[in-house]
Amino acid sequence: MNGIQNGLTLLQTTAPNSTGSLVSTIVTFGLVFVIFYFLIIRPQNKKQKQMQQMIAGVKKGDKVVTIGGVHGVVASVKESTVVVKVDESTRIEFSKSAISSVSPAKTEEKAETAEEPEAKPAEKTEDK
């Protein structure tokens, strides 16, 4: 009988501490979640927000490329669709979500290039 009691007391004293392993498991899962958040979830949310802003900012005259690879100029913008002028007489209506990239209108590009030559002579006078 003494042998059985000694065996039971040994089993009771050698039982692992379950609260310590539980805490380390929770901390490990927490660290994994934080890593996933900063490496996967957050960048994806930022990219999605930029895409939504780009699509919301589409206006007449912008050059667009669709996800299907069609290049054209925006002829008109509706609530959820965009009419793209592909050729002189060809117009195609696309969903706004089908736009993959937008280039600004030509008038904005001309305004930006007009400002650059003015800045260059100022730099030349400073060099002399």
Side-chain angles (χ1 to χ4, degrees), residues 52-93:
Q52 288 174 346
Q53 289 175 350
M54 178 188 69
I55 290 173
V58 172
K59 60 185 179 294
K60 184 177 179 180
D62 287 346
K63 292 181 181 180
V64 296
V65 178
T66 66
I67 56 175
V70 177
H71 294 250
V73 178
V74 176
S76 67
V77 179
K78 299 178 183 176
E79 187 174 324
S80 63
T81 61
V82 175
V83 177
V84 178
K85 183 177 178 183
V86 180
D87 196 5
E88 295 300 322
S89 61
T90 307
R91 295 172 189 258
I92 304 173
E93 188 169 354

Side-chain angles (χ1 to χ4, degrees), residues 16-47:
N17 188 0
S18 63
T19 57
S21 65
L22 180 65
V23 170
S24 67
T25 303
I26 291 173
V27 169
T28 303
F29 279 120
L31 288 174
V32 168
F33 179 76
V34 168
I35 291 170
F36 272 114
Y37 177 76
F38 282 108
L39 293 179
I40 297 173
I41 298 170
R42 188 170 176 229
Q44 184 64 30
N45 286 343
K46 288 175 81 173
K47 185 177 180 181

